[in-house]
């Protein structure tokens, strides 16, 4: 059994992070990333396809990815992250 809990603070945090355009071809623009230190891009099978240690200019380049559905994990630290879904075309 898996129990997942969320506080109102966590839900607000998730809603505050915006990624666009979605679907995307070249790069994702990300708003409100000041607190986040690193990023992982995960494919639909759960494989980490890219790790980024620093977000530069609030952009994540995805032009090297194959078309498909991905998840962007934004990390504050090792245990605290939020996840956003995006489509690469």
């Amino acid at each position: 059994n898996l129990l997942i809990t969320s506080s109102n603070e966590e839900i607000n945090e998730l809603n505050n992070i915006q990624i666009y355009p979605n679907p995307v071809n070249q790069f994702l623009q990300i708003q409100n990333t000041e607190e986040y230190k690193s990023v992982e891009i995960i494919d639909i099978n759960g494989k980490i396809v890219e790790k980024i240690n620093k977000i530069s200019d609030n952009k994540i380049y995805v032009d090297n990815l194959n078309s498909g559905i991905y998840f962007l994990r934004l990390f504050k630290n090792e245990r605290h992250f939020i996840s956003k879904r995006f489509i690469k075309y």
Side-chain angles (χ1 to χ4, degrees), residues 5 10 17-18 20 23 27 30 45 51-52 55-56 60-61 67 69 73-75 79-80 82 86:
T5 61
E10 288 169 330
I17 297 292
Q18 302 294 322
Y20 59 91
F27 64 86
I30 307 172
N45 298 314
K51 288 185 178 185
I52 302 162
I55 302 169
S56 299
I60 302 292
Y61 287 89
S67 296
I69 298 173
R73 281 189 190 161
L74 296 132
F75 286 86
R79 302 179 89 186
H80 185 106
I82 62 166
F86 69 93

